[in-house]
């Protein structure tokens, strides 16, 4: 099947979604996704970040689809033409979703442990506005303790429900899910039970914001101060392939390996994640490369960058035109005195 | 005098019991369908009738039935949507409470047409007393041999169950209803796949409203062509309208589609005119989710034609000058009504009932409610009207299910048609502090204040 997204044509297998096709093309056509997670079944369609404009349904039915479609759950048809970043409607919709997500999400990136790895941060970087129109009180939740390994900060949750899918699909004896409705929806455990399962730590990896963070790493470092390395160990519970985040010779954090879309390659167990923090536990393979342009990659670009030209003479030595206009040396009193002493006494010699 | 199809026998004493219902000709459609018709012939009759879904969307019922996947070999289901939760709509409860066997009869005939052997009636939790009435009616029908194995010796089996919902408006949306019926949280599913292909327990399923299913026995007994003869154009048959608000006679009425709105409001047979003869200010013709109509667009369409009680006439080419027949929740306002408060009230409902699954609905409905609350309580800002317009536009069309649209449309229509009332609230906060601010001094009397300030 041939699909065209923002002018890029690609051949895909039946059953491929528009988002998957866009990811095959890569680059700017890839819609953002906060709830879709390719490694988890049944995710997608909820956050509405990935809405796209289907301008031609298929060769058989070329009519455009009247509404914007969630690309992560809409299958490709042969001859389908999709406008992603090229569509103004799509841009507006993504701006709208970003604004909606930020009305109740605290803008506490400077103290949030997810800063640098936050998908919402990236989304708002591209689609957010400088000014907020929401002046009402933000919705808040009481702090809740869900165990010794995972910190739940419900005020930051965007109810993408990826963690619920992890609980459904990876863990035994699920104890948490969504409570309440509407903007009162909250991720919580049944009667504040602790989450205690060998694969529960994957909730941290799938959380796109700082709602679920690693208690063994919180506030130890900012992610951009860490050096990530691919590492592995023999593990009888999981694949044992991870990324270890080091500060000097100390392993401060262990996560699953994530791809350019911030999705894990394989889920890992809690032993690897929380208990193995000694360098001797791991075989270090080499530095981890990241392709996504987020805060985490500051000073870590592997691509070629253009040479920056600084106009020294004009920009620095002469200063701005506007400033020059305001200051006239000729008008300054040469014999001006401060506390009885001439201002220019030194200069006068 | 309009003809009665659904409410024909409603006044017969004891019609709620099986004996009386049967004596009055009840279950004849089941006999006719099972003994003389094939399932496909029943579907054809319903197609011919032009019956459209009476839950609000108005999708052709026969076409919906024909979409059901018969080739999969999986069991099929019919689910009756009795989760009547739209504010202003109370027609289904009337049918189920007073003539429950009509629904049971419709369920059997419709299930036979669809080849369903396991059917459900999903009823909202607040209708507990009706649940008991339906349970009793099903027991009576089963005892009389209309349900169970080999009905009337035809070889057709059907089990029918009633399931009570937890009282969530979203469970009236067909896929959320199916989720709830499966014992899960009532969140709408992403479509496609549609229920006709993958519905309840992953099996092909049809979800129909109570009123739609209750119309099927008459169609089978009389013929689809007869049914199509009632009404106008693509709006065929009769429709139950639950009328409320500032009219003399509130209640549930059965009308022929095509009746004029003027006659419905003013005729003694129906609403009986305005309460205390006050002027008509606004109308919500199809339940709280549909756009409100201002006085000058209630009796006449934008083209100057008579406004009729049909899907097409009420829609009138779009929401700028039209609305929707919806579920038939007909709410009439006189000049004492405050549109801002009314819109806030609706908005509060949709905020409360949003399932919270998708972002625009979860966050947008709450935001709209908060802004409307401020305006209604004298804390509005000039930019709030534009802000509200912007929020509703960002919700509409971007959500998983129609609840987002349902929350956005009333706000959009209120601003479109009653913007000056919003401005009045914002400019004169001290005047609207009294909760019943328009009761003593209707808006028409103070409207000049806005114009004065503008000049």
């Amino acid at each position: 099947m041939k699909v065209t997204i923002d002018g890029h044509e690609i051949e895909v297998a039946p059953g491929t979604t528009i988002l998957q096709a866009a990811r095959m093309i890569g680059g700017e056509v890839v819609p953002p996704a906060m709830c879709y997670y390719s490694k988890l079944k049944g995710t997608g369609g909820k956050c509405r970040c990935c809405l796209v404009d289907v301008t031609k349904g298929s060769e058989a039915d070329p009519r455009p689809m009247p509404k914007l479609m969630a690309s992560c759950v809409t299958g490709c048809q042969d001859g389908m033409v999709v406008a992603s970043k090229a569509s103004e409607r799509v841009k507006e919709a993504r701006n709208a979703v970003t604004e909606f997500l930020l009305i109740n999400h605290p803008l506490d990136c400077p103290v949030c442990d997810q800063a640098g790895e936050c998908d919402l941060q990236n989304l708002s970087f591209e689609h957010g506005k400088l000014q907020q129109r929401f002046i009402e009180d933000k919705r808040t939740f009481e702090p809740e303790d869900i165990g010794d390994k995972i910190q739940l900060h419900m005020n930051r949750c965007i109810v993408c429900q990826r963690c619920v899918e992890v609980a459904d699909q990876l863990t035994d004896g699920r104890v948490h899910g969504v409570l309440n409705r509407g903007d009162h929806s909250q991720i919580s455990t049944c009667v504040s039970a602790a989450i205690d399962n060998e694969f529960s730590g994957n909730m941290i990896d799938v959380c796109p914001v700082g709602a679920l963070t690693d208690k063994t790493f919180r506030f130890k470092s900012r992610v951009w101060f860490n050096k990530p390395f691919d590492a592995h160990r023999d593990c009888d519970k999981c694949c044992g392939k991870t990324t270890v985040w080091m500060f000097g010779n100390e392993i401060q954090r262990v996560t699953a390996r994530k791809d350019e879309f911030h999705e894990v390659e394989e889920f890992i167990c809690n032993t690897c994640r929380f208990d193995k923090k000694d360098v001797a536990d791991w075989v270090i393979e080499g530095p981890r490369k990241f392709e996504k342009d987020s805060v985490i990659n500051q000073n870590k670009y592997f691509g070629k960058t253009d040479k920056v030209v600084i106009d020294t003479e004009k920009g620095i030595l002469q200063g701005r035109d506007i400033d020059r206009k305001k200051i006239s040396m000729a008008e300054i009193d040469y014999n001006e005195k401060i506390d009885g002493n001439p201002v220019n006494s030194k200069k006068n010699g | 005098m309009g003809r009665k199809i659904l409410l024909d026998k409603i006044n017969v004493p004891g019609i709620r019991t099986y004996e009386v219902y049967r004596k009055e000709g009840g279950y004849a459609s089941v006999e006719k369908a099972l003994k003389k018709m094939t399932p496909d012939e029943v579907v054809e009759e319903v197609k011919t009738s032009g019956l459209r879904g009476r839950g609000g969307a108005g999708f052709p019922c026969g076409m919906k039935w024909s979409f059901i996947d018969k080739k999969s070999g999986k069991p099929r289901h019919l689910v009756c949507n009795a989760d009547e939760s739209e504010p202003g709509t109370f027609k289904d409860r009337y049918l189920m409470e007073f003539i429950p066997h009509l629904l049971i009869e419709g369920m059997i005939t419709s299930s036979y047409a669809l080849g369903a052997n396991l059917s459900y009636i999903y009823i909202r939790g607040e209708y507990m007393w009706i649940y008991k009435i339906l349970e009793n009616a099903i027991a009576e029908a089963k005892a009389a041999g209309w349900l169970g194995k080999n009905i009337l010796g035809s070889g057709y089996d059907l089990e029918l169950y009633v399931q009570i919902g937890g009282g969530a408006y979203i469970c009236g949306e067909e896929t959320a209803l199916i989720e709830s019926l499966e014992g899960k949280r009532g969140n709408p599913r992403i479509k496609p796949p549609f229920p006709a292909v993958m519905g309840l327990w992953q099996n092909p399923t049809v979800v129909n409203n109570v009123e739609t299913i209750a119309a099927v026995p008459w169609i089978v007994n009389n013929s689809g062509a007869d049914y199509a003869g009632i009404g106008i154009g693509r709006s065929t048959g009769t429709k139950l309208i639950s009328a409320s608000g500032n009219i003399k006679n509130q209640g549930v009425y059965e009308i022929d589609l095509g009746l004029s709105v003027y006659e419905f409001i003013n005729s003694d047979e129906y609403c009986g005119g305005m309460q205390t003869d006050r002027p008509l200010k606004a109308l919500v013709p199809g339940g709280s989710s549909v756009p409100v109509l201002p006085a000058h667009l209630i009796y006449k369409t934008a083209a100057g034609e008579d406004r009729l009680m049909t899907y097409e006439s009420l829609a009138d080419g779009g929401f700028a000058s039209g609305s929707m027949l919806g579920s038939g929740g007909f709410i009439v306002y006189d000049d004492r009504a405050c549109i801002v408060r009314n819109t806030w009230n609706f908005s509060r409902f949709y905020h409360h009932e949003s399932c919270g699954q998708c972002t625009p609905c979860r966050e947008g409905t709450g935001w709209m409610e908060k802004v409307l609350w401020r305006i209604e309580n004298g804390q509005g800002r000039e930019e709030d009207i534009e802000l509200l317009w912007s929020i509703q536009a960002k919700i509409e069309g971007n959500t998983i299910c129609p609840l987002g649209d349902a929350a956005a449309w009333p706000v959009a229509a209120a601003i479109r048609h009653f913007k000056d009332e919003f401005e009045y609230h914002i400019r004169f906060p001290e005047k609207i502090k009294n909760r019943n601010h328009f009761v003593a001094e209707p808006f028409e009397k103070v409207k000049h204040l806005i114009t004065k300030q503008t000049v």
Side-chain angles (χ1 to χ4, degrees):
Chain A
M1 295 198 304
K2 276 184 183 167
V3 184
T4 309
I5 305 174
D6 282 357
H8 302 271
E9 195 176 272
I10 189 170
E11 195 125 336
V12 296
T16 309
T17 61
I18 297 172
L19 180 70
Q20 285 165 341
R23 285 184 172 186
M24 287 176 200
I25 296 167
E28 291 205 322
V29 303
V30 183
M34 306 293 283
C35 66
Y36 172 77
Y37 209 80
S38 60
K39 312 300 185 298
L40 294 166
K41 286 177 198 165
T43 53
K46 298 183 184 74
C47 71
R48 318 305 281 180
C49 292
C50 68
L51 292 173
V52 290
D53 195 356
V54 180
T55 53
K56 182 184 171 189
S58 65
E59 287 299 342
D61 184 3
R63 288 176 302 171
M65 293 186 182
K67 286 184 177 181
L68 298 179
M69 305 300 290
S71 61
C72 60
V73 287
T74 308
C76 293
Q77 301 283 327
D78 191 27
M80 184 182 258
V81 179
V82 178
S84 175
K85 206 169 183 180
S87 161
E88 277 305 312
R89 273 176 83 197
V90 170
K91 272 189 207 166
E92 260 179 44
R94 287 182 192 164
N95 292 350
V97 171
T98 310
E99 186 174 24
F100 283 137
L101 285 174
L102 289 173
I103 66 171
N104 277 314
H105 186 96
L107 294 172
D108 59 353
C109 307
V111 295
C112 174
D113 221 46
Q114 191 81 356
E117 291 181 314
C118 176
D119 288 344
L120 184 55
Q121 200 176 32
N122 294 341
L123 186 76
S124 53
F125 186 72
E126 190 163 5
H127 297 284
K129 286 181 186 166
L130 285 175
Q131 286 179 324
Q132 198 175 21
R133 298 190 295 172
F134 184 80
I135 60 159
E136 331 297 333
D137 287 342
K138 281 186 188 273
R139 167 206 59 207
T140 54
F141 296 90
E142 289 293 315
E144 193 179 350
D145 186 6
I146 58 166
D148 62 339
K149 296 289 198 293
I150 303 170
Q151 177 71 43
L152 171 64
H153 194 316
M154 197 46 228
N155 290 344
R156 294 193 188 121
C157 177
I158 57 165
V159 206
C160 70
Q161 300 188 29
R162 281 177 181 178
C163 59
V164 178
E165 295 298 336
V166 166
D168 262 349
Q169 294 170 33
L170 295 183
T171 67
D172 302 326
R174 175 183 154 187
V175 292
H176 98 296
V178 184
L179 304 184
N180 300 326
R181 280 199 304 240
D183 61 359
H184 300 288
S185 300
Q186 69 178 104
I187 302 294
S188 184
T189 52
C190 287
V191 205
S192 293
I195 292 179
D196 182 21
N197 183 283
E198 194 51 48
F199 279 81
S200 60
N202 292 298
M203 290 171 195
I204 300 165
D205 275 347
V206 301
C207 182
V209 292
L212 292 165
T213 47
D214 182 348
K215 272 190 178 174
T216 65
F217 175 68
R218 273 169 72 80
F219 305 123
K220 274 193 175 172
S221 178
R222 307 301 275 174
V223 287
W224 53 87
F225 293 142
N226 286 147
K227 284 212 160 113
F229 293 92
D230 280 346
H232 67 264
R233 64 179 282 272
D234 283 334
C235 180
D236 53 357
K237 293 171 193 156
C238 70
C239 64
K241 291 177 184 170
T242 62
T243 300
V244 294
W245 299 73
M246 299 183 69
F247 190 84
N249 289 328
E250 181 195 353
I251 293 178
Q252 292 194 318
R253 179 170 72 145
V254 179
T255 63
R257 292 183 190 178
K258 289 187 177 180
D259 61 18
E260 60 186 305
F261 306 112
H262 279 196
E263 290 181 8
V264 300
E265 287 163 14
E266 281 184 81
F267 292 109
I268 60 168
C269 67
N270 283 6
T271 309
C272 288
R273 184 187 301 274
F274 297 122
D275 302 335
K276 301 293 176 187
K277 297 287 175 71
D278 192 332
V279 181
D281 292 332
W282 296 96
V283 177
I284 308 286
E285 295 169 18
R288 176 94 188 142
K289 289 185 181 178
F290 290 91
E291 290 164 33
K292 196 158 176 158
D293 53 340
S294 67
V295 180
I296 193 173
N297 286 334
Q298 288 300 306
N299 305 320
K300 290 175 189 165
Y301 288 112
F302 294 92
K304 195 178 168 187
T305 50
D306 294 332
K307 190 179 176 187
V308 180
V309 178
I310 300 173
D311 190 346
T312 315
E313 190 65 26
K314 175 109 174 51
I316 296 176
L317 295 181
Q318 291 182 2
R320 297 182 302 170
D321 290 344
I322 192 167
D323 294 337
R324 277 201 303 281
K325 279 176 194 163
K326 284 178 187 167
I327 303 165
S328 168
M329 293 302 287
E331 286 172 20
I332 295 173
D333 184 9
Y334 189 76
N335 297 313
E336 188 186 356
K337 290 178 181 177
I338 296 175
D339 297 332
N341 301 315
V343 176
N344 299 313
S345 57
K346 269 188 180 176
K347 200 174 179 181
N348 292 336
Chain B
M1 187 78 181
R3 90 198 71 197
K4 299 279 184 282
I5 286 177
L6 303 169
L7 304 184
D8 186 25
K9 304 277 178 359
I10 202 94
N11 292 324
V12 175
I15 193 71
R16 197 185 279 168
T17 61
Y18 172 74
E19 288 78 21
V20 178
Y21 183 75
R22 179 71 179 137
K23 207 180 283 175
E24 290 290 324
Y27 289 97
S29 74
V30 180
E31 270 185 315
K32 186 178 175 184
L34 265 62
K35 288 181 176 169
K36 296 179 186 168
M37 297 169 82
T38 65
D40 286 346
E41 282 171 347
V42 180
V43 175
E44 277 308 310
E45 281 300 331
V46 174
K47 266 189 180 173
T48 310
S49 73
L51 173 68
R52 294 169 69 167
R54 303 297 196 222
F59 192 79
C61 179
M63 196 185 289
K64 194 175 195 178
W65 286 12
S66 65
F67 289 154
I68 197 160
D69 185 2
K70 291 182 177 171
K71 291 174 190 164
S72 67
K74 290 180 179 176
R76 284 165 247 156
H77 306 291
L78 172 67
V79 178
C80 172
N81 184 349
D83 190 75
E84 183 179 54
S85 315
E86 180 95 346
T89 308
F90 44 89
K91 59 175 177 87
D92 289 343
R93 77 177 239 192
Y94 194 68
L95 264 180
M96 292 187 288
E97 183 174 353
F98 295 107
I99 185 159
H101 281 284
L102 181 62
L103 176 61
I104 312 293
E105 183 182 349
M107 284 298 288
I108 300 168
T109 313
S110 307
S111 298
Y112 171 71
L114 294 165
N117 301 112
L118 182 56
S119 297
Y120 294 89
I121 299 170
Y122 183 93
I123 189 166
R124 67 183 288 201
E126 288 88 339
Y127 285 175
M128 182 54 85
W129 82 101
I130 302 178
Y131 161 74
K132 288 174 183 167
I133 290 169
L134 286 176
E135 281 275 275
N136 189 45
I138 287 172
E140 284 180 326
K142 194 161 188 178
W146 299 102
L147 286 166
K149 295 271 178 202
N150 196 16
I151 302 165
L152 301 181
S154 65
Y156 175 64
D157 309 332
L158 176 66
E159 289 300 332
L160 179 61
Y161 297 103
V162 190
Q163 176 69 40
I164 319 166
Y169 172 72
I170 189 60
C171 291
E173 196 276 338
E174 61 177 358
T175 56
L177 187 155
I178 289 170
E179 285 279 293
S180 174
L181 202 50
E182 287 180 1
K184 300 178 204 154
R185 187 182 158 88
N187 281 349
R189 291 178 183 173
I190 313 273
K191 291 188 272 187
F194 289 89
V197 179
M198 202 177 280
L200 185 66
W201 320 118
Q202 309 286 308
N203 296 332
T205 303
V206 164
V207 182
N208 277 146
N209 178 258
V210 171
E211 191 188 339
T212 319
I213 291 173
V216 172
W218 195 92
I219 292 168
V220 171
N221 285 333
N222 294 275
S223 86
D226 280 6
Y227 192 83
I230 309 167
I232 291 176
R234 288 175 54 227
S235 298
T236 61
T238 64
K239 172 93 187 78
L240 292 183
I241 303 289
S242 40
S244 61
N246 305 123
I247 43 170
K248 283 195 177 123
N249 314 322
Q250 294 93 345
V252 177
Y253 300 99
E254 184 171 8
I255 59 156
D256 285 9
L257 283 169
L259 182 78
S260 75
V261 173
Y262 182 86
E263 196 183 340
F264 184 68
I265 292 179
N266 294 295
S267 133
D268 286 339
E269 190 187 340
Y270 301 113
C271 300
M274 297 300 290
Q275 215 174 38
T276 62
D277 296 322
R278 295 194 73 90
L280 178 61
K281 179 176 184 177
L283 168 71
V284 173
S288 69
S289 64
V290 309
V292 62
L293 288 173
H296 70 279
L297 287 171
I298 293 175
Y299 296 141
K300 294 281 179 190
T301 64
E305 292 164 354
D306 282 347
R307 178 87 71 184
L308 306 178
M309 300 286 280
T310 63
Y311 292 93
E312 293 76 21
S313 177
L314 281 166
D316 191 19
F319 293 156
S321 58
S323 182
M324 289 167 82
L325 181 61
S327 58
F330 197 86
I331 313 170
V332 182
Y333 300 102
D334 68 21
D335 63 341
R336 296 167 300 181
C338 172
I339 296 296
V340 177
R341 183 164 67 230
N342 181 56
T343 312
W344 165 64
N345 198 22
F346 285 167
S347 203
R348 187 174 57 154
F349 173 79
Y350 290 107
H351 174 208
H352 184 261
E353 295 297 335
S354 165
C355 80
Q357 201 183 188
C358 65
T359 310
C361 181
R362 182 182 67 241
E363 305 294 349
T365 50
W367 193 1
M368 278 199 305
E369 194 224 313
K370 285 170 184 167
V371 176
L372 281 162
W373 182 89
R374 273 198 294 104
I375 297 175
E376 169 58 13
N377 286 279
Q379 296 166 33
R381 307 168 304 162
E382 266 187 43
E383 60 266 38
D384 281 341
I385 300 175
E386 201 183 318
L387 177 66
L388 273 176
W389 184 263
S390 162
I391 301 171
Q392 68 79 24
K394 287 175 175 195
I395 298 173
E396 193 202 347
N398 289 340
T399 51
I400 294 175
C401 79
L403 194 142
D405 297 343
W409 289 336
V411 176
I415 296 174
R416 188 181 290 123
H417 299 304
F418 298 94
K419 193 174 177 184
D420 47 1
E421 218 164 293
F422 284 83
E423 284 176 2
Y424 176 80
H425 276 68
I426 290 167
R427 286 192 192 175
F428 304 102
E430 73 286 351
K431 282 187 180 287
I432 50 128
K433 275 181 185 159
N434 174 11
R435 193 159 161 70
N436 292 321
H437 41 265
F438 287 156
V439 171
E441 206 174 32
F443 179 64
E444 282 303 316
K445 288 189 181 173
V446 295
K447 201 175 178 179
H448 63 281
L449 290 172
I450 302 175
T451 328
K452 254 187 198 170
Q453 285 243 333
T454 313
V455 173

